[in-house]
Amino acid sequence: MPGIVYDAIDAYIHDLSNRGDAALQAVENQGRDENWPIVGPAEGSLLHVLARAIGARRILELGTAIGYSGTWLARALPPDGELVTVEWNPETAEIARRNLAKTGVAKRVRIEVGSALDIVPRLDGPFDLIFNDIDKQYYVDVLPLCIARLRVGGLLVTDNVLWSGEVVKRRRSKEAEVIHDYNRRLGADSRMAAVIVPLRDGVSIALKVSD
Ligand SMILES: C[S@@+](CC[C@H](N)C(=O)[O-])C[C@H]1O[C@@H](n2cnc3c(N)ncnc32)[C@H](O)[C@@H]1O
């Protein structure tokens, strides 16, 4: 993916990022070798820092893939904390299950297999942090569901919100159009205080300030 910032700056941030231990590094390597769209160590660290900074005890992740970002999030939880992570591909969820066991967080993680749009409304809230990383075409539909499941003072973190810079183009792809709409709605929502950080492909961090 073309960088949002200079490639050299991107590489600098990536190279200096904490990689976690050997088990997490192995999942990162699997992501690279098998071409899984995982967040990578810089964004993984950001998720970890945010979750710990707010003392998150319940986290919801939309888009488990192989359990890479899930491990960063689960490792930020206290021993009695919980990560609920949603993945609609059962085979992918199995890979995640194995990786989450290897990274030592399985006890704190519940994988829900199915579409985020079906599962989120059925989950008991509230969550302290929600990480949204599903297919971009569903971003606008899932936004109100996420806000409804977030506690006041909780964070909604969303990946790929700059979509390789396509969001600023006059002619956007379908995905970029939905992401732009998502960013616009989030920015205009008086319940949320949102900012976009140009890390990797763009990360949105939004604090719920009122119900
Ligand atoms: C970009 S990957 C997630 C990467 C992961 N967050 C990480 O960094 O380790 C997106 C994942 O979400 C799943 N997915 C996409 N749309 C979904 C939806 N609407 N409901 C549930 N899962 C979805 C895909 O199958 C894929 O595994």
Side-chain angles (χ1 to χ4, degrees), residues 116-131:
L117 296 178
D118 295 335
I119 287 177
V120 178
R122 295 206 306 260
L123 295 173
D124 286 334
F127 290 91
D128 303 305
L129 188 150
I130 300 177
F131 177 48

Side-chain angles (χ1 to χ4, degrees), residues 37-39 63-65 68-69 87-88 92 114-116 131 133-135 138:
I38 59 172
V39 295
T64 317
Y68 180 74
S69 52
E87 171 59 54
W88 65 5
T92 305
S115 157
F131 177 48
D133 193 15
I134 54 172
D135 280 5
Y138 304 108

Side-chain angles (χ1 to χ4, degrees), residues 24-79:
L24 185 52
Q25 177 80 68
V27 184
E28 182 190 336
N29 293 345
Q30 179 184 9
R32 184 198 56 223
D33 297 344
E34 298 175 8
N35 225 7
W36 291 93
I38 59 172
V39 295
E43 193 173 336
S45 297
L46 176 68
L47 292 168
H48 185 84
V49 167
L50 291 173
R52 281 184 81 161
I54 62 163
R57 305 184 71 83
R58 288 197 82 213
I59 299 176
L60 172 62
E61 176 182 62
L62 307 180
T64 317
I66 59 173
Y68 180 74
S69 52
T71 295
W72 279 106
L73 288 165
R75 285 184 173 179
L77 288 166

Side-chain angles (χ1 to χ4, degrees), residues 69-122:
S69 52
T71 295
W72 279 106
L73 288 165
R75 285 184 173 179
L77 288 166
D80 62 344
E82 181 187 36
L83 168 70
V84 179
T85 181
V86 182
E87 171 59 54
W88 65 5
N89 183 319
E91 287 162 23
T92 305
E94 259 327 295
I95 299 172
R97 208 177 299 283
R98 287 198 291 275
N99 281 338
L100 293 162
K102 286 183 196 158
T103 59
V105 296
K107 275 197 185 137
R108 265 168 280 163
V109 183
R110 190 173 97 224
I111 303 178
E112 291 275 350
V113 181
S115 157
L117 296 178
D118 295 335
I119 287 177
V120 178
R122 295 206 306 260

